[in-house]
């Protein structure tokens, strides 16, 4: 299973960016999928997560500014980030919990990370 993330880049404070992440491989179902981020000198933290295709968790710091969604197949998630601030600067990692075909259990996967830089 691979997670391919795209998007990110440099934006001024108050601007917006979008991220996307596609899961591919021997997937039976995706039970959780979303985004974490890690800022310099800080621990990795949850940003937004879709659980079982319909429940969504957001970090308090992004509620009302970020929106997570997925495609109909549920293998791609999108993160729309609005009203960005320098505090949102971090490497954003796609994350998924996948029930794999033929393996009978869940596995966690991480994407390669994409840098989001918000200038003041």
């Amino acid at each position: 299973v691979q997670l391919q993330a795209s998007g990110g880049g440099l934006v001024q404070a108050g601007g917006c960016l979008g991220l996307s992440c596609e899961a591919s491989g021997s997937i039976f179902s995706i039970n959780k999928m979303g985004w974490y981020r890690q800022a310099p000198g800080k621990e990795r933290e949850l940003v937004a997560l879709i659980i079982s295709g319909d429940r969504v968790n957001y970090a308090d710091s992004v509620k009302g500014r970020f929106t997570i969604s997925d495609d109909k197949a549920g293998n791609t998630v999108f993160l729309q980030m609005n009203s960005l601030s320098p505090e949102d600067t971090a490497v954003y990692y796609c994350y998924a919990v996948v029930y794999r075909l033929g393996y009978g259990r869940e596995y966690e996967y991480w994407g390669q990370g994409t840098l989001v830089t918000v200038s003041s």
Side-chain angles (χ1 to χ4, degrees):
V1 174
Q2 290 187 328
L3 301 181
Q4 183 64 49
S6 61
L10 174 64
V11 66
Q12 288 188 333
C16 58
L17 280 175
L19 304 178
S20 64
C21 178
E22 180 180 10
S24 61
S26 56
I27 298 169
F28 179 77
S29 64
I30 298 178
N31 298 334
K32 299 179 183 178
M33 193 167 181
W35 298 91
Y36 283 72
R37 69 185 180 186
Q38 188 166 19
K42 295 187 176 181
E43 294 186 352
R44 192 171 297 188
E45 63 176 2
L46 171 70
V47 177
L49 198 64
I50 296 177
I51 301 170
S52 300
D54 57 4
R55 192 155 48 95
V56 177
N57 284 350
Y58 288 104
D60 288 342
S61 60
V62 307
K63 283 180 181 177
R65 301 187 298 121
F66 291 12
T67 302
I68 190 171
S69 61
D70 62 10
D71 64 354
K72 286 186 176 180
N75 285 9
T76 302
V77 292
F78 308 93
L79 185 67
Q80 179 62 39
M81 304 181 290
N82 298 330
S83 302
L84 285 160
S85 72
E87 288 70 34
D88 296 313
T89 295
V91 177
Y92 285 68
Y93 294 93
C94 182
Y95 168 80
V97 176
V98 174
Y99 194 93
R100 292 191 64 187
L101 288 167
Y103 288 79
R105 52 162 283 193
E106 293 181 338
Y107 290 83
E108 290 186 316
Y109 293 93
W110 294 92
Q112 78 277 18
T114 184
L115 178 62
V116 171
T117 303
V118 185
S119 63
S120 57

